Amino acid sequence: MDLKNKISKEELSACPAEVYNGRAYVIQTLPDAEKAVNYLRTQSVVGFDTETKPSFVKGRSNQVALMQISTADVCFLFRLNVIGIPPCLLEFLKDKAVMKIGLSLRDDFRALNRRAAIEPGNFLDLQNYVKSFGIEENSLTKIYAIIFGKRISKAQRLSNWEAPLMTERQIAYAALDAWTTREIFIHLNSLQANADNLGNV
């Protein structure tokens, strides 16, 4: 497992941009949320992320507007500013049968608890996980670039996540963030499994 522990800004900017090629569904009704959660319960590992409308006023912050949960090829974008956190989604978040991969999860949980009391079940934070592979970076963009040699654009991060309609760029950005967390875990987990198998030969 020969992974760099750090990546410079110059190396990062030289990486080609990653593109999300899966399907993305914007969820803004309770029936659609239930359908999405039923599908997610069939998975063993999903990627997880959230987005919040930026506040440019000192001391003021907005509630989480979007929760993204991704499989290998489908990402569901739950518009929490429209439907809140439905009971089915709360149950899924505490369901230990499905592993959920995120980054800087403590911040996500703190923000989500302003909407509803959540009980995180079987979550893994990449910031901790990658350290066992010698990676010292904490940002999703840098971790992904180290592993896959591609760059995640952050151009949409400060856009309005509470806008009546999400743009195609917002949808692609949000889906990519959740999808990449899962991809990082799957890849590193596979490397670890191969290393363990070689050690047992």
Side-chain angles (χ1 to χ4, degrees):
M1 288 186 289
D2 247 352
L3 295 170
K4 294 196 295 187
N5 57 356
K6 285 186 172 290
I7 187 169
S8 68
K9 288 182 179 179
E10 292 75 21
E11 289 173 310
L12 182 62
S13 63
C15 292
E18 182 59 283
V19 177
Y20 177 71
N21 291 312
R23 289 168 290 159
Y25 296 103
V26 178
I27 307 297
Q28 46 193 8
T29 69
L30 295 180
D32 283 350
E34 289 173 357
K35 288 178 188 175
V37 168
N38 286 338
Y39 179 78
L40 290 169
R41 286 188 185 279
T42 68
Q43 305 296 304
S44 56
V45 182
V46 297
F48 170 89
D49 194 30
T50 65
E51 303 296 339
T52 301
K53 177 183 176 181
S55 171
F56 301 104
V57 179
K58 188 176 181 180
R60 182 186 298 174
S61 60
N62 295 308
Q63 291 196 353
V64 178
L66 190 73
M67 181 187 297
Q68 309 99 274
I69 303 178
S70 179
T71 70
D73 55 3
V74 181
C75 187
F76 297 102
L77 312 179
F78 296 89
R79 299 208 73 184
L80 306 188
N81 61 305
V82 177
I83 58 172
I85 307 181
C88 63
L89 190 52
L90 284 172
E91 286 297 313
F92 177 76
L93 295 177
K94 72 176 184 180
D95 185 353
K96 294 181 180 178
V98 182
M99 184 176 234
K100 306 157 196 83
I101 313 300
L103 185 128
S104 192
L105 288 171
R106 183 179 297 179
D107 295 336
D108 284 322
F109 297 153
R110 186 185 301 119
L112 286 168
N113 272 308
R114 292 177 57 203
R115 280 202 174 274
I118 66 167
E119 299 175 46
N122 199 5
F123 274 82
L124 181 143
D125 196 320
L126 287 176
Q127 285 185 337
N128 301 323
Y129 186 65
V130 300
K131 286 180 172 53
S132 62
F133 295 86
I135 297 174
E136 298 175 12
E137 300 287 6
N138 284 321
S139 80
L140 182 65
T141 300
K142 288 187 174 182
I143 293 169
Y144 193 81
I146 285 173
I147 296 170
F148 295 106
K150 291 189 175 181
R151 174 176 45 83
I152 302 171
S153 170
K154 288 293 177 182
Q156 294 297 311
R157 185 171 68 89
L158 296 179
S159 60
N160 181 9
W161 295 103
E162 296 181 11
L165 289 175
M166 291 177 63
T167 66
E168 288 186 9
R169 287 186 177 183
Q170 281 183 313
I171 291 169
Y173 167 89
L176 181 64
D177 263 13
W179 178 79
T180 51
T181 61
R182 183 185 182 279
E183 291 299 298
I184 289 168
F185 170 77
I186 294 295
H187 185 77
L188 292 180
N189 194 49
S190 175
L191 288 181
Q192 186 63 61
N194 289 338
D196 292 344
N197 288 336
L198 287 174
N200 292 327
V201 172

